[in-house]
Amino acid sequence: MFIMSQSPLLDHLLELRRRLLIGVIVVLAIFSVLAFFADDLYSWLAAPMIASLPQGSTLIATDVATPFFTPFKLALVVSIALAVPVLLWQMWAFIAPGLYQREKRLVVPLMVSSSLLFYAGIAFAYFVVLPLALNFLANAAPEGVTVATDIASYLDFVLAIFMAFGIAFETPVAIILLCWTGVTSVTSLRAKRPYVIVGAFAVGMVLTPPDVISQTLLAIPMWLLFELGLLIASLYQHKPPSAAPESD
C-alpha cells in the first residue's frame, strides 16, 4: 500500500531526471561544437569594447589561465543560451500532462515568445546598448588614465548586461501570466502605470552600468514592453465562468 502510494512520485522524479538529462546532453552537444570557435566568439564579443578604446589599446589578461578559460566560459554560456528553446520544451513536456487543454493552448505560444524576447533583449544589448555604454565609459576616464580592461572582467560585465536585458524583455510574458492567473488585472496594472515607469528606471539603475545612457535604454524598452503586455493580456485575461441560465 505504501509502495503503491509512492510510485506516482517516483515516476515524476524519474521523468524529471530524464528531462534534465536531455537538457544537459543538448547543452554539452552544442558546447562541443562551439568550443572549436571559442576564440572567434570572444573576438566577436569584444568588438564593441575594442572599438571604444583609444587608438592602439587592447584588452588585457591579468591572470595566467585567463586567456585559456575565458573563451571557453563564453562558449559554455552561449551553449546554454542556444539551448533555451530545448530546455523550455523539456519543461513544457514535464508539466503538460497536468494542464488543461485551455492552459496548453496558452503555454506553447508563451514559451515560443519568451525565447524570442530573450534573444531580442540580448541582440538589443549587443547592437545598441554596448556600443553607446562602452564608448561613454571609455571616454569618462580621467586624463592620464589608460583604459586597459581585463578580458575576464569584460566578459562578466557583458554577461550581466545580456542577462539584464534578456530578463527585462520578458516583461510581456510576465504581464500576461499575472493577468491570466488572476493575480492582477489589466485595469489594475493600467492604474499603476506611473509607478511602473518609475520602477523601470529604478531597475535600469540597478541592473546596468552607472551611466544614464544604458539605464535609459533599459527603462524605455521595459515600459514599452509593459504596454505590449497589457495589450496582449487584455485578450488572454482569465475570466471566471459565467453562471448558467436558469431553466423555466
Side-chain angles (χ1 to χ4, degrees):
M1 188 79 174
F2 178 76
I3 296 177
M4 293 181 59
S5 64
Q6 293 296 313
S7 59
L9 176 60
L10 181 60
D11 291 340
H12 285 306
L13 291 176
L14 291 176
E15 177 67 9
L16 177 60
R17 185 184 68 173
R18 188 172 75 88
R19 298 294 175 184
L20 291 175
L21 184 60
I22 293 175
V24 171
I25 291 175
V26 171
V27 171
L28 292 179
I30 298 175
F31 176 73
S32 65
V33 175
L34 293 183
F36 292 98
F37 307 97
D39 291 339
D40 296 328
L41 281 174
Y42 194 90
S43 297
W44 173 79
L45 186 71
M49 185 70 214
I50 294 176
S52 65
L53 291 174
Q55 187 70 26
S57 299
T58 61
L59 296 175
I60 63 173
T62 58
D63 187 78
V64 175
T66 297
F68 176 79
F69 286 110
T70 300
F72 284 104
K73 177 182 177 180
L74 173 61
L76 179 60
V77 173
V78 173
S79 301
I80 297 174
L82 292 178
V84 163
V86 177
L87 300 177
L88 289 177
W89 179 258
Q90 295 305 315
M91 181 181 69
W92 154 251
F94 178 72
I95 65 175
L99 299 177
Y100 294 107
Q101 189 63 34
R102 178 174 59 86
E103 295 171 334
K104 293 180 180 179
R105 288 197 298 267
L106 177 64
V107 170
V108 173
L110 286 180
M111 292 180 62
V112 174
S113 60
S114 63
S115 299
L116 295 177
L117 286 170
F118 183 77
Y119 292 141
I122 293 177
F124 181 80
Y126 179 81
F127 291 105
V128 178
V129 178
L130 276 183
L132 295 175
L134 293 175
N135 186 66
F136 172 84
L137 294 173
N139 293 327
E143 186 178 353
V145 175
T146 301
V147 178
T149 304
D150 177 67
I151 60 173
S153 299
Y154 174 73
L155 176 60
D156 293 339
F157 172 83
V158 172
L159 291 181
I161 293 292
F162 285 174
M163 186 60 64
F165 277 83
I167 294 176
F169 271 58
E170 299 291 338
T171 301
V173 176
I175 296 298
I176 294 170
L177 288 176
L178 288 174
C179 294
W180 180 73
T181 55
V183 174
T184 185
S185 65
V186 175
T187 303
S188 176
L189 289 175
R190 283 174 178 164
K192 297 181 176 64
R193 181 180 284 113
Y195 304 101
V196 171
I197 295 175
V198 174
F201 279 90
V203 171
M205 293 175 60
V206 173
L207 297 182
T208 59
D211 66 280
V212 178
I213 296 176
S214 56
Q215 293 170 4
T216 305
L217 288 176
L218 178 60
I220 292 179
M222 284 186 65
W223 171 39
L224 296 178
L225 291 169
F226 168 77
E227 299 294 341
L228 177 62
L230 289 181
L231 179 63
I232 301 176
S234 62
L235 305 176
Y236 284 98
Q237 183 169 330
H238 177 69
K239 299 181 177 63
S242 58
E246 296 182 0
S247 58
D248 295 335

